[in-house]
Amino acid sequence: MGTESSKIGIVLVTHGNFGQALVEAAELIVGPQDFILSLSVDVSHGIDAAVESLKENIAKVSNGVGVLVLTDMFGGTPTNLSLSLLQGDDIEVVTGASLPMLLKALQKRNDSLEVLAEEVRKAGIKGIVIAGEMLRKRTSKG
């Protein structure tokens, strides 16, 4: 298990206040977190300003072990801006941010960035459930 200073940083980059709402919801469940920030992308201030804000947030949460960037939607502006910063092995972007994904990210921050990204992706997929379908399967088995 790593130390506090070896936690992978997390930046949520989203439309509107979605990222901040996810952070607040996660902290209600697991308590206050450090090395995590959210950024609401507002391109009305210009793309360069948005990229600069993203770079600043990444720098603030970086501990030298990598930063996971969670975005809300592949193909959206928050993701496209984030992808522009993917140059080395110290940043990874995972799209489709959800509360299960963020909770998994907070649990696995001491793993490698590559392992963390894969675990977060799996949590996102596992978190999508058609409840009625699941209940019907249980009822038909019983």
Side-chain angles (χ1 to χ4, degrees):
M1 205 42 87
T3 62
E4 286 290 311
S5 62
S6 66
K7 279 184 183 176
I8 291 172
I10 300 171
V11 177
L12 285 93
V13 187
T14 63
H15 293 89
N17 294 320
F18 180 57
Q20 184 59 38
L22 281 177
V23 172
E24 290 170 8
E27 288 182 334
L28 284 173
I29 296 168
V30 298
Q33 298 294 307
D34 53 5
F35 305 108
I36 181 168
L37 292 170
S38 68
L39 175 65
S40 174
V41 172
D42 181 358
V43 293
S44 69
H45 295 118
I47 297 294
D48 291 341
V51 170
E52 198 53 43
S53 292
L54 178 54
K55 286 180 183 178
E56 288 171 10
N57 279 2
I58 288 171
K60 286 178 187 173
V61 302
S62 181
N63 290 311
V65 293
V67 174
L68 178 69
V69 178
L70 289 175
T71 67
D72 50 9
M73 182 176 71
F74 187 76
T77 302
T79 301
N80 293 339
L81 295 177
S82 300
L83 292 176
S84 73
L85 302 179
L86 273 179
Q87 284 139 5
D89 293 335
D90 59 338
I91 297 174
E92 186 57 84
V93 177
V94 179
T95 65
S98 67
L99 187 55
M101 293 170 73
L102 180 55
L103 290 171
K104 182 59 72 174
L106 293 171
Q107 291 171 351
K108 297 286 189 173
R109 294 169 87 179
N110 293 316
D111 288 342
S112 72
L113 185 57
E114 183 179 354
V115 168
L116 176 63
E118 180 59 26
E119 289 294 320
V120 166
R121 184 184 69 82
K122 286 179 186 175
I125 293 168
K126 188 176 178 184
I128 299 170
V129 175
I130 301 173
E133 180 180 274
M134 180 185 289
L135 292 173
R136 285 187 292 277
K137 285 181 184 175
R138 284 188 182 164
T139 304
S140 67
K141 289 180 181 178

